Amino acid sequence: MAEGGEPVILEDYLLAEDAPLLEEMAEEDEELDLYNEMTFGLDRDSAEEDATKTLVPPERSPELLEPEEQSRVVEGQPPTEEQGELRGEGGMEPEAEQVGSEEEEEEDEEQGVEEQEDEEEPNDLGDPAVMRAVQSKPTLESQDSAVLDSRIGSDWAEFGQEDMLAVDPAAWGSCPSTIPPHHMLEDKAILQVLERPPTATNVALDFLGSPVQRGYVGSPRHKRPDFRGMSPKSFPQHFLQQSAGYMSPGPFSPLSPNIGTPPRSLTMHFGPVSHSLDSSVFFSPSTSGQLNLSVPSHLTQLHPQHQRILTQRQQQSGTLQSVSPKKLWSPKADPCAGLMTCKEKDWVVKVEMIQLQSENLDDDYYYQTYYHRLEHKQAEEELLGGRNKQEPPKLVTPFIQKVETYNSVVRIAGSLGQVAVSTCYSPRRAIDAVHHALVEEAAGSHRLRALHRIERLFLQLLEVEEMQRKMSLATEEQEHKTQEVGRIYQALNIRACSSEEEAEDEFLQVLCVRKGKKLTARLLPHLAPEQAEKILLTITHHLPFLMKKDVPDESLPLLYSPLNEVVGRMTFSRLIEVLQEMTRTLPESAELPLTMALKNQFGISLLYSLLSRGEGLLSSETPLEPHIGDFETWTDTVFLVARELSQVPKALLVEPLFLPSNLLSLFCRYLDKQTVHHLEAKMECSPLPSEAPMPC
Amino acid sequence: MNYMPGTASLIQDIDKKHLVLLRDGRTLIGFLRSIDQFANLVLHQTVERIHVGKKYGDIPRGIFVVRGENVVLLGEIDLEKESDTLLQQVSIEEILEEQRVELQAKQESEKLKVQALKERGLVVPRADTLDEY
């Protein structure tokens, strides 16, 4: 088999046992290639180039064997198919040595071809790109995978000073401007040395020909330049060819790979979807400068605002800026820049956009909020400015229709956990952290049970609000919603309880937790008036208890706002009922709940709210339909409040969350001027707009 | 230029130097070459930086492919400001030694603490190997 001339082809060492393996790899690479094409799509522009280039370059790979070079070193592992790797993704990557040639690329290719042909026979695989291997002594690198190149320093020292200084300082990976080149050798983090441009320029051209050479694209071959055993002279060229694999123009081109290149209309389509959805991406630009309005209607859309912005942007700028040049760090000096091609970036952006299109409004909260606010602002501007900024929502972003929804989390009966199912287009769902298992309520302490209940009810509440947000006018939906709300209300288990049982009462326990208060606060707007009033009654009845429990947390004010709403809709009689709760005497304390409330922010706010409502009702002249004794109770209450207010030392009086404006007029109605004046000072409310100094 | 205002994307970060903090506590510094929708990262010229006190040491690691779920946070490194640091760079051997010493000290103090608690009848539950959320 080893019929080839001079070069020592250690067939047995090479591939005897690995032949089938390499064959598999070749097949894999082809499959990967196909997959890549299907995923990323084939550039229309580069299609022809591909035809010529994909075939040619891999076969005539620049990283070819150089028959003359004998002193190559391998890590004692079988080399890979260079060609196969270049073409495709190359799953496995045992270190293969590359050899720099000393001639220009093109010449190399031809030479390489000849050499390959010679060697084709000896090689069982018939693969011209298969490297020859030479045994070498085990290196530090092979022993310890964490060490990259133990001889970097020594190799670099071989270079003449001239070489080093010629290096473009801007090309260095770190602190380009501050560290002079020769110092950088000491920095072990710098693994690559950028070289001055080679003399041959047609190499560059060849290389730039197609930025999207399929042969090189997507190849995650971040091969560091392996300098071991290479002569310094060959280094520059080697590096050049090295970077050829990165599909970047390297140090020598005036263009950077992605910046200057006018983006082409990229065709993107995902696997299963039919090719009929073959439309341009939204930032396909430039060439026509037109908007692509012809989008099939069955495609999902982005938020209309988003689309509008995208159209605007599309009109403004056509180029796809993938890298923003920084002052010191110029991408063109970075040989590995542009590893991720435009196309790949577009693809990722596309997937991200697809993720944005979700039914669930909780996803991408910031994105949704941003656009809502933007819309409101624009709407406002329109109203104010009168400018017509409204553009018809354009369907400029053709995206793949989400074919079918799937269960992101699969529960297999009897299993301990959940199996997450996801596609690469909907990765988020894989980490759905919804708690499916129902917690046993019997176990655990009171508090633990209360906490579990709160969590469960909160989830239900969120669902209700979700329904609400959908804003469906269908009556069945409304009924469903009221049903759900009713269920939550029932689960709260609000019932009368005496003061001894306060600690045990389920609803009160819920209210002792901040989240429970939040739950109640959010639930209140959805409840029927009787239910909401019942909650208010319960809270007022147990106000001292709640206020005491709230001392560390101070979260009662959460309830103020919804309760205020409830109070604002109450009838006079109901109002009296609630007030009576506050004015009743307590068995265990000399203080009235009322008095205690004055010292608590929530309490005083609630009190004021109730009084304000009463005053509002009385002064509104609507028929009140009071029960017998209501008015007396009312006046008694007002007097009581006034008395307590005047007696409570100012230091203990807490400022309310909101001070209703009609309180003074209320007091005026029943009390003498002096007292009112006194109270006014105490409450620190602004005097009535009537004659100064006496308001009444 | 953000294509999707209101969202965050790593696309703009490509080819820039980044500092990545992993869930296991490692700090990696490297050039972000490629990403995907899971925020898996490809880091180039990566260096693992170990910090102990005011000293740090860099271990060159080459190319990293990091699974997105293991990333705690990452941020771009300003190349101009990178050298303005009060920290002192030391050799790899030294920093590893310092790290070992620090770890040992921590283990010892932990042991003493557990012992003290045990004497007082308190048992601290151990969150063994799981992540500390």
Side-chain angles (χ1 to χ4, degrees), chain B residues 115-126:
Chain B
Q115 182 68 23
L117 286 173
K118 212 162 73 169
E119 284 167 7
R120 285 158 179 76
L122 296 166
V123 177
V124 182
R126 292 181 36 185

Side-chain angles (χ1 to χ4, degrees), chain A residues 338-352:
Chain A
L339 178 80
M340 197 176 183
T341 64
C342 260
K343 183 180 285 191
E344 288 161 359
K345 288 184 192 176
D346 293 346
W347 185 85
V348 172
V349 170
K350 197 165 191 181
V351 173
E352 288 175 359

Side-chain angles (χ1 to χ4, degrees), chain A residues 146 222 313 320 334 336 424 427, chain B residues 2-3 33 37 44 61 63:
Chain A
H222 295 262
R313 206 165 264 157
L320 181 62
D334 180 10
C336 306
C424 73
Chain B
N2 189 358
Y3 299 108
R33 292 299 179 201
Q37 67 273 34
H44 182 221
R61 295 291 195 192
I63 296 161

Side-chain angles (χ1 to χ4, degrees), chain A residues 519-535:
Chain A
L519 170 70
T520 314
R522 281 172 78 162
L523 182 65
L524 275 165
H526 301 286
L527 290 172
E530 316 82 50
Q531 294 169 323
E533 281 169 10
K534 177 124 186 269
I535 288 186

Side-chain angles (χ1 to χ4, degrees), chain A residues 88 118 164 167 180 199 208 234 299 331 357 363 367 390 396 421 467 483 509 516 548 563 567 623 688 692:
Chain A
D118 281 345
M164 295 318 305
V167 172
T199 47
L208 280 177
S234 67
L299 288 175
Q357 302 165 27
D363 287 347
Y367 170 70
Q390 277 250 309
V396 186
V421 174
M467 277 186 247
Q483 227 177 39
Q509 273 177 19
K548 192 177 75 175
L563 286 177
V567 166
L688 289 173

Side-chain angles (χ1 to χ4, degrees), chain B residues 31-45:
Chain B
F31 289 92
L32 186 62
R33 292 299 179 201
S34 189
I35 57 156
D36 67 0
Q37 67 273 34
F38 301 103
N40 294 330
L41 316 169
V42 172
L43 293 171
H44 182 221
Q45 292 179 355

Side-chain angles (χ1 to χ4, degrees), chain A residues 146 148 173-174 188-189 222 310 313 320-321 324 326-329 334 336-340 345 347 349 351-353 356 367 370-371 424 427, chain B residues 1-7 9-11 14-17 31 33-38 42 44-45 47 60-63 76 79-80 82-83:
Chain A
L148 283 169
S174 63
K188 295 217 165 66
H222 295 262
L310 288 173
R313 206 165 264 157
L320 181 62
Q321 290 273 340
S324 57
K326 286 239 168 5
K327 307 188 277 286
L328 296 165
W329 176 243
D334 180 10
C336 306
L339 178 80
M340 197 176 183
K345 288 184 192 176
W347 185 85
V349 170
V351 173
E352 288 175 359
M353 286 194 163
L356 289 175
Y367 170 70
Y370 178 87
Y371 280 101
C424 73
Chain B
M1 181 165 76
N2 189 358
Y3 299 108
M4 297 176 287
T7 64
S9 174
L10 286 173
I11 290 286
I14 295 279
D15 290 334
K16 295 181 185 157
K17 196 165 188 181
F31 289 92
R33 292 299 179 201
S34 189
I35 57 156
D36 67 0
Q37 67 273 34
F38 301 103
V42 172
H44 182 221
Q45 292 179 355
V47 151
R61 295 291 195 192
I63 296 161
E76 191 187 333
L79 296 171
E80 299 163 48
E82 198 184 4
S83 41

Side-chain angles (χ1 to χ4, degrees), chain B residues 22-57:
Chain B
L22 300 180
R23 268 166 48 176
D24 64 355
R26 278 187 281 182
T27 306
L28 303 179
I29 295 173
F31 289 92
L32 186 62
R33 292 299 179 201
S34 189
I35 57 156
D36 67 0
Q37 67 273 34
F38 301 103
N40 294 330
L41 316 169
V42 172
L43 293 171
H44 182 221
Q45 292 179 355
T46 320
V47 151
E48 179 183 336
R49 184 162 288 185
I50 301 177
H51 289 273
V52 178
K54 285 220 182 311
K55 301 183 188 167
Y56 72 92

